[in-house]
């Protein structure tokens, strides 16, 4: 079961471009992003999907953080980002598209914050894994971080890529999964400001 996502076999060709921090829930990921935004005013948050950007903009506004610090990946200006720390708010389901975006950044260890309740992770059975990970003592606010995690995510993205003939754009990660590989829709729209405590 765990090998579906966090395969520990490793790969000599593993990318060091991204550094993953995977949270059990979206609420845990949002809490971490809010804390990071408050302590690091130079941090810019990058979303691949408009729904993700809108969700985080709502929380940033509620907690009096400049919502313009959240940008869409396809609208970023690499020159303007040079003086900022960059954090992705999610993975794009296709690793090749991620690599294309960052190929001229000349950076390694770019943070990507994900959560196991996202459609990309659910596609690989994360619902069942969450129960086991909770038994290991992980909390919502704690991130799972390891090079094996990044390698496993890349392997998963590559498995998805084999199924995609044409990358059809979408408003949300859930919609992308449905349009491109027939996944079920699970959106962030149910998240409200009441989901988090001040």
């Amino acid at each position: 079961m765990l090998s579906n996502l966090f395969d520990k076999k490793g790969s000599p060709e593993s990318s060091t471009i991204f550094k993953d921090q995977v949270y059990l829930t979206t609420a845990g990921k949002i809490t971490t992003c809010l804390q990071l935004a408050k302590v690091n005013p130079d941090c810019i948050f990058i979303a691949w999907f408009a729904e993700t950007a809108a969700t985080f903009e709502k929380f940033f506004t509620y907690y009096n953080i400049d919502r313009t610090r959240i940008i869409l990946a396809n609208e970023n200006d690499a020159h303007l980002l040079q003086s900022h720390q960059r954090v992705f708010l999610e993975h794009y389901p296709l690793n090749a598209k991620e690599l294309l975006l960052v190929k001229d950044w000349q950076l390694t260890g770019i943070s990507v914050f994900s959560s196991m309740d996202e459609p990309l992770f659910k596609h690989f059975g994360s619902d069942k894994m969450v129960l086991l990970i909770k038994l290991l003592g992980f909390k919502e606010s704690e991130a799972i971080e390891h090079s094996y995690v990044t390698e496993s995510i890349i392997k998963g993205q590559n498995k998805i890529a084999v199924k995609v003939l044409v990358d059809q754009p979408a408003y949300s990660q859930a919609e992308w999964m449905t349009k491109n590989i027939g996944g079920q829709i699970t959106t962030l729209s149910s998240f409200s400001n009441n989901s988090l405590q001040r």
Side-chain angles (χ1 to χ4, degrees):
M1 178 171 54
L2 287 172
S3 63
N4 284 344
L5 190 57
F6 300 147
D7 184 351
K8 295 189 176 182
K9 292 179 181 176
S11 167
E13 299 175 1
S14 171
S15 170
T16 58
I17 293 175
F18 299 110
K19 180 181 177 184
D20 286 281
Q21 295 184 34
V22 181
Y23 295 84
L24 293 182
T25 66
T26 299
K29 179 175 79 168
I30 291 173
T31 299
T32 299
C33 288
L34 290 169
Q35 292 169 347
L36 178 58
K38 287 178 181 178
V39 301
N40 186 352
D42 290 327
C43 191
I44 295 293
F45 299 85
I46 305 168
W48 281 104
F49 297 99
E51 181 194 47
T52 304
T55 298
F56 276 81
E57 285 172 1
K58 177 178 67 177
F59 280 101
F60 273 43
T61 300
Y62 184 78
Y63 288 95
N64 298 314
I65 300 169
D66 184 2
R67 62 185 287 177
T68 64
R69 292 171 62 188
I70 299 164
I71 63 173
L72 282 168
N74 62 351
E75 296 175 357
N76 85 86
D77 183 330
H79 179 70
L80 291 176
L81 289 176
Q82 281 184 345
S83 60
H84 295 279
Q85 178 185 350
R86 288 157 257 194
V87 173
F88 282 93
L89 297 173
E90 62 198 334
H91 272 287
Y92 195 78
L94 303 176
N95 180 246
K97 185 160 182 173
E98 293 182 322
L99 294 177
L100 182 63
L101 178 70
V102 304
K103 69 180 176 64
D104 296 325
W105 289 9
Q106 298 180 344
L107 293 174
T108 59
I110 303 167
S111 293
V112 183
F113 292 175
S114 303
S115 60
M116 296 187 72
D117 55 6
E118 294 173 15
L120 177 61
F121 284 75
K122 286 188 171 187
H123 179 74
F124 293 102
S126 64
D127 283 343
K128 295 176 183 176
M129 293 172 58
V130 167
L131 297 175
L132 179 57
I133 292 170
K134 283 183 177 178
L135 288 175
L136 295 174
F138 278 87
K139 298 173 182 165
E140 277 192 357
S141 58
E142 289 182 277
I144 302 167
E145 298 181 65
H146 199 285
S147 59
Y148 291 146
V149 174
T150 298
E151 290 170 7
S152 296
I153 291 170
I154 292 170
K155 288 178 184 176
Q157 290 171 310
N158 290 339
K159 287 179 182 178
I160 288 173
V162 172
K163 302 177 182 178
V164 177
L165 297 177
V166 178
D167 181 4
Q168 300 181 63
Y171 174 72
S172 68
Q173 190 182 110
E175 184 185 8
W176 189 97
M177 299 293 283
T178 299
K179 289 172 71 172
N180 288 278
I181 60 171
Q184 294 181 342
I185 291 183
T186 306
T187 69
L188 294 176
S189 60
S190 60
F191 267 82
S192 66
N193 293 335
N194 295 330
S195 300
L196 301 174
Q197 296 178 352
R198 275 186 183 261

